[in-house]
Amino acid sequence: MDANSPLVLVDMGIDTHQEPVVYMRGDCHVCRSEGFSASSRVLVKAGGHALIASLNVVDDRVLAPGEVGLSKVALARLGLPVGSPVSIAHVPVLNSLGAVRKKIYGHGLSEAEFTEIIGDISAHRYSDIAIASFLSVCAGSRMSLDEITGLTRAMVACGQRLSWPGHERVFDKHCIGGLPGNRTTPLLVAIVTAAGYPMPKTSSRAITSPAGTADTMETLCNVNLQLADIQRVVTETGGCLAWGGAVNLSPADDLLIRIERALDLDGEGQLIASVLSKKIAAGSTHAIIDIPVGPTAKVRTRPAADRLAGLFTQVGEACGLHIRCLLTDGSLPIGEGIGPVQEARDLLAVLQRKVDAPADLRERALWLAANLLDLAEDCGVSAALHKATALLDSGQALAQFERILNAQGGRKSLPDAAFEVVISSPAAGRLTAIDCRKLARLAKLAGAPFSAAAGLRLHARVGDTLEAGGALCSLYSDSRGERDYALDYYQSNADIFQLGGGGHA
């Protein structure tokens, strides 16, 4: 077969998540003539269609001579039907990888270099390994203020931006995470928009937690809104609760988050750039940043929180965004549910003013909402808190939340998990502490957030006195394997729940 002969496209039926993969025989004429080997980056072309992917070499029995296979995501991105003739070539040199290597060797990067890197990542030109290298070398405190600002602007520049004519101030909120069950954002959107202020909220899915706002809201309504949908919903209701990855506002962000999740990494500079780029792209002008601080939270000390708050504020100012950072108590989980469905049950209970609604979730949401209303009205947090409370207690916030759900396609019914196990205290005592990190890990091992109904529901809070056999929490899972895996983890980490006297549950 001639080295220039096209190959015939085959669907391999393999889910490689978001990493495009090409499959070729080791004796393929193209492999031999071009010198390709396993893990090579190759360019798949046909007419006006092109795709960069990683090469996997397969046995002769997997593909017939003259065939080239694509993974599911590669086939979708290429946009050609099975059986189409395609050619395979070397990938053009990516100059931005030189900037990544420059950073690896300890040198700072300019905004132009970040723009080139983010542009190539957004265009799917980077392999997962290259993205992981970029994220790793930017993690910790390896980025200067100028670099974080440059990365933020680069992430905004690579996508589209929303604008809201007629609104001088547009509001937003973000929590940096690390606190299980802290699902305040939907409550804030309901309260603030009920007060008449625009809040077009786009959120990420979970990175290192058992649920993100988008994961929780997806159990209640459609969050995969396109730009036109977001504009329609906000025009109709004043706010929205959408998944940011469904729109082209900061397209590199979800590509980076996918690798961060795999690395269990949430670096300081990338965190700030991720959060603020989405706020700016959504057209927000004012935002609050919730920074929980606690011994097992993401941010563990006051100095670390002060540093992060300072960076958020300075980068926001440099990008034309007014930021108010709030350092909050991160010593305990918030609410009773952990995982998408369980957290949805909590926020609905607060909106519906149920007597058994989690008081800590209600109080935290009201205080955060008061800060947003203070930004809007400059009335002082105390007066704003009174207004937020009235909006919630009168049912106006619930009615507004239902309007947003209806505008986003209508409210869904919450699913139940296939398996439930009650975890009990083996001894009597007073519950003195809960390890937030390990608690979140337990919920993730049970299947959250990928199984929406998976997670935990707390039955005991710090300060409660328990009898031996008293319920600590219920663990929910949709598979026996995940249930057993989570329970094995708990047996090795029973110090998640600390009892008075130095023991653990």
Side-chain angles (χ1 to χ4, degrees):
M1 185 176 288
D2 186 87
N4 295 318
S5 299
L7 298 170
V8 176
L9 205 57
V10 173
D11 180 3
M12 297 296 287
I14 298 175
D15 183 358
T16 56
H17 196 36
Q18 295 299 311
E19 169 80 348
V21 177
V22 171
Y23 301 87
M24 298 173 69
R25 291 165 53 119
D27 64 353
C28 174
H29 63 286
V30 176
C31 274
R32 291 191 170 191
S33 64
E34 299 292 344
F36 294 139
S37 59
S39 297
S40 293
R41 296 285 284 170
V42 298
L43 178 65
V44 185
K45 297 189 297 183
H49 300 261
L51 168 81
I52 294 176
S54 297
L55 174 64
N56 280 6
V57 177
V58 301
D59 292 342
D60 298 352
R61 59 187 170 82
V62 177
L63 291 170
E67 290 183 336
V68 58
L70 291 184
S71 65
K72 286 182 175 296
V73 69
L75 195 63
R77 286 187 188 163
L78 188 60
L80 292 173
V82 170
S84 299
V86 299
S87 62
I88 309 293
H90 286 277
V91 174
V93 175
L94 294 179
N95 293 326
S96 68
L97 285 174
V100 175
R101 285 190 290 272
K102 175 181 173 182
K103 185 65 178 171
I104 288 172
Y105 284 103
H107 303 288
L109 300 184
S110 66
E111 183 176 330
E113 288 170 319
F114 279 118
T115 299
E116 192 172 12
I117 291 169
I118 294 301
D120 282 340
I121 290 174
S122 300
H124 306 289
R125 299 187 186 110
Y126 270 35
S127 67
D128 283 3
I129 293 174
I131 295 174
S133 297
F134 172 66
L135 289 171
S136 298
V137 77
C138 291
S141 299
R142 297 185 182 92
M143 296 181 71
S144 67
L145 174 62
D146 286 344
E147 285 182 302
I148 300 172
T149 302
L151 176 58
T152 303
R153 288 173 173 159
M155 292 177 69
V156 173
C158 74
Q160 300 184 63
R161 293 183 66 170
L162 288 169
S163 61
W164 306 102
H167 293 289
E168 183 179 342
R169 295 186 176 188
V170 178
F171 299 90
D172 214 325
K173 172 264 180 186
H174 183 82
C175 176
I176 68 161
L179 203 56
N182 190 24
R183 198 54 53 220
T184 57
T185 295
L187 299 171
L188 266 70
V189 172
I191 293 169
V192 171
T193 57
Y197 299 105
M199 194 168 176
K201 188 73 184 79
T202 61
S203 301
S204 298
R205 299 191 185 277
I207 302 176
T208 59
S209 70
T213 295
D215 301 306
T216 297
M217 285 305 304
E218 192 169 39
T219 68
L220 293 168
C221 68
N222 175 34
V223 297
N224 296 323
L225 304 183
Q226 300 303 311
L227 283 178
D229 295 321
I230 290 176
Q231 290 174 317
R232 173 186 58 79
V233 172
V234 175
T235 298
E236 291 177 6
T237 69
C240 69
L241 284 153
W243 172 45
V247 292
N248 196 38
L249 292 179
S250 183
D253 190 50
D254 276 273
L255 299 173
L256 297 173
I257 284 173
R258 178 175 60 88
I259 304 301
E260 286 180 304
R261 185 183 294 119
L263 296 173
D264 195 21
L265 182 70
D266 200 3
E268 173 187 87
Q270 177 58 37
L271 166 68
I272 295 168
S274 170
V275 170
L276 297 187
S277 66
K278 286 181 290 190
K279 307 301 175 209
I280 296 165
S284 299
T285 60
H286 293 68
I288 60 170
I289 307 295
D290 180 8
I291 305 178
V293 185
T296 58
K298 185 178 293 184
V299 178
R300 300 190 176 188
T301 66
R302 179 61 186 259
D306 287 338
R307 169 181 163 79
L308 189 61
L311 288 172
F312 262 115
T313 303
Q314 292 175 83
V315 174
E317 183 179 2
C319 295
L321 185 62
H322 182 86
I323 296 294
R324 177 184 292 184
C325 290
L326 304 170
L327 275 54
T328 57
D329 182 6
S331 61
L332 299 172
I334 300 297
E336 297 169 1
I338 301 167
V341 164
Q342 297 305 321
E343 293 176 23
R345 295 190 195 282
D346 277 359
L347 72 89
L348 287 175
V350 172
L351 284 167
Q352 294 164 355
R353 293 99 68 207
K354 291 185 175 180
V355 294
D356 59 349
D360 56 348
L361 178 62
R362 171 190 161 93
E363 292 169 5
R364 194 181 190 95
L366 284 171
W367 187 72
L368 293 171
N371 274 273
L372 270 179
L373 292 177
D374 179 42
L375 285 179
E377 301 178 359
D378 194 25
C379 59
V381 174
S382 179
L385 179 59
H386 180 77
K387 181 172 184 175
T389 303
L391 289 167
L392 180 60
D393 288 345
S394 66
Q396 293 178 71
L398 174 61
Q400 175 65 5
F401 188 70
E402 294 288 358
R403 279 194 288 271
I404 293 171
L405 295 189
N406 289 334
Q408 292 187 199
R411 181 168 157 185
K412 301 178 184 177
S413 298
L414 294 175
D416 293 319
F419 300 94
E420 176 183 356
V421 178
V422 176
I423 294 177
S424 302
S425 175
R430 181 174 175 272
L431 187 59
T432 58
I434 298 176
D435 188 311
C436 289
R437 284 179 181 264
K438 289 184 177 180
L439 192 72
R441 177 70 173 161
L442 181 64
K444 288 167 66 177
L445 292 176
F450 301 107
S451 294
L456 304 169
R457 179 151 291 274
L458 297 172
H459 301 308
R461 306 305 300 264
V462 168
D464 290 353
T465 299
L466 298 168
E467 300 293 334
L472 291 165
C473 68
S474 290
L475 184 144
Y476 301 94
S477 183
D478 275 334
S479 74
R480 286 188 176 87
E482 288 171 320
R483 176 199 64 186
D484 295 343
Y485 195 24
L487 290 174
D488 285 345
Y489 174 80
Y490 175 74
Q491 293 303 319
S492 301
N493 294 273
D495 60 345
I496 292 174
F497 299 98
Q498 292 282 339
L499 293 178
H504 52 74

